[in-house]
Amino acid sequence: MKCQSIDLVWITVKDFKKALKFYTEVAGLKVAQANEEWGWAELEGHAGKGMRLGIAQHRPDQKEGVQPGQNGVVTLTVDNIDQARQDLAKQGAKLVGDVLEVPGHVKMQTVQDNDGNTFQIVEDISGG
């Protein structure tokens, strides 16, 4: 697998609206994009530089295994998620659940390393 960049770290929260308010009004970040239906937002500094912080509404029905307050999840951007999945599986990484797709935006696969640390591989399918 060849990682193209690290652009995002995300956290899981119990209350999406409350967390969004905290990170904008208390931590001073600005919303780069948000989708309340998906329970997802990406925040950045006001200069628009550096990585983004993602905020994800906790969904007990999803298998990613990340609980609110547990950790930040690093996303590794790849060119081809199918090839990256194969490469990771061959090397002994644990693929958690199925590839999730946000239509027109990204494909995502949750992965665990040998110590059980969670990260995601992400393929941009937005065409941008």
Side-chain angles (χ1 to χ4, degrees):
M1 183 182 93
K2 184 177 180 183
C3 177
Q4 299 303 313
S5 62
I6 300 173
D7 302 312
L8 177 78
V9 173
W10 59 271
I11 57 173
T12 303
V13 298
K14 294 177 189 175
D15 184 326
F16 177 76
K17 289 181 183 179
K18 186 175 180 180
L20 190 58
K21 183 176 180 177
F22 174 85
Y23 282 99
T24 56
E25 295 181 13
V26 177
L29 299 174
K30 71 175 184 174
V31 176
Q33 62 175 286
N35 185 320
E36 195 169 325
E37 179 183 346
W38 280 83
W40 176 257
E42 291 182 22
L43 308 171
E44 62 188 9
H46 284 267
K49 297 179 182 178
M51 289 194 309
R52 288 184 174 180
L53 172 65
I55 298 174
Q57 174 64 54
H58 175 64
R59 297 186 193 285
D61 60 322
Q62 290 184 349
K63 299 178 184 177
E64 82 274 353
V66 179
Q67 301 297 313
Q70 186 179 18
N71 66 358
V73 177
V74 175
T75 63
L76 305 177
T77 301
V78 298
D79 286 334
N80 182 310
I81 198 165
D82 295 323
Q83 184 63 52
R85 291 176 82 243
Q86 290 176 18
D87 294 347
L88 287 164
K90 284 180 188 175
Q91 296 298 319
K94 180 180 177 185
L95 303 177
V96 181
D98 297 320
V99 172
L100 299 175
E101 182 175 334
V102 178
H105 185 61
V106 294
K107 291 182 181 179
M108 307 170 285
Q109 171 70 60
T110 301
V111 181
Q112 286 183 339
D113 69 13
N114 294 331
D115 293 314
N117 295 304
T118 299
F119 66 97
Q120 266 187 340
I121 54 173
V122 177
E123 179 184 345
D124 182 348
I125 58 171
S126 68

